[in-house]
Amino acid sequence: VLIGTNNLGNGHLPFPTAEGILELTKELLIQTKGKILLLKVLPRGDGFEILPKLCPPRCAVDGNPLQSFLPSIKKVNDELQSAMNTGNGTIQLAYLSRRLILVDCGESYMASGDGKMSEVNATLMPDLLHPYELGLKLMANCITDEIKG
């Protein structure tokens, strides 16, 4: 399951986005008997283009548009990890029994360097949001490594 980035891109806050991901995951666990591989939200580098359109209401403390989606993505991913480690009920039980696996494939997509265009590697995500051929291969390897591991 790979969801959540569109919520952030449409102006949703990190905590409600994480709650939505967890609720959907919980429903899948209840309604199915299989294992679920939940991917943490991937980084996106299109904040310089999208975030000014979301301000207001999604603005920095100084009233200016946010500059990056990365802090919000980190908050969502931290909430997901926290639910696995300290939550209770369906999510934590499934995580502890390895029926639910939380995977972070995002680090591979990060770019080195400074500036708004270098948050993600444009070779892997040409539109700074969606993995392309090489990016999809990286994701496939990340998922395969988790399944085999």
Side-chain angles (χ1 to χ4, degrees), residues 31-51:
Q31 295 184 27
T32 66
K33 294 181 181 182
K35 291 186 176 188
I36 297 173
L37 187 77
L38 176 62
L39 276 72
K40 289 186 176 183
V41 178
L42 295 176
R44 57 187 292 168
D46 62 344
F48 67 95
E49 180 183 343
I50 304 294
L51 288 167

Side-chain angles (χ1 to χ4, degrees), residues 32-149:
T32 66
K33 294 181 181 182
K35 291 186 176 188
I36 297 173
L37 187 77
L38 176 62
L39 276 72
K40 289 186 176 183
V41 178
L42 295 176
R44 57 187 292 168
D46 62 344
F48 67 95
E49 180 183 343
I50 304 294
L51 288 167
K53 298 173 189 172
L54 299 176
C55 178
R58 291 288 316 278
C59 305
V61 175
D62 64 6
N64 290 315
L66 297 169
Q67 297 296 306
S68 172
F69 279 109
L70 296 182
S72 293
I73 290 169
K74 180 177 179 351
K75 287 178 184 176
V76 171
N77 290 339
D78 288 349
E79 285 293 324
L80 297 177
Q81 189 65 61
S82 178
M84 304 300 142
N85 296 337
T86 61
N88 54 37
T90 305
I91 295 288
Q92 188 183 34
L93 290 173
Y95 182 71
L96 292 173
S97 70
R98 298 279 295 164
R99 183 167 172 232
L100 171 61
I101 301 167
L102 182 64
V103 182
D104 187 356
C105 297
E107 190 64 35
S108 300
Y109 296 95
M110 298 300 293
S112 58
D114 297 322
K116 61 187 175 192
M117 293 296 291
S118 66
E119 290 183 321
V120 297
N121 183 329
T123 302
L124 303 175
M125 296 177 144
D127 66 354
L128 308 177
L129 176 59
H130 301 96
Y132 192 59
E133 184 178 355
L134 291 175
L136 291 172
K137 287 180 182 177
L138 277 174
M139 186 182 302
N141 289 339
C142 177
I143 291 169
T144 302
D145 290 348
E146 185 61 42
I147 292 170
K148 288 181 178 178

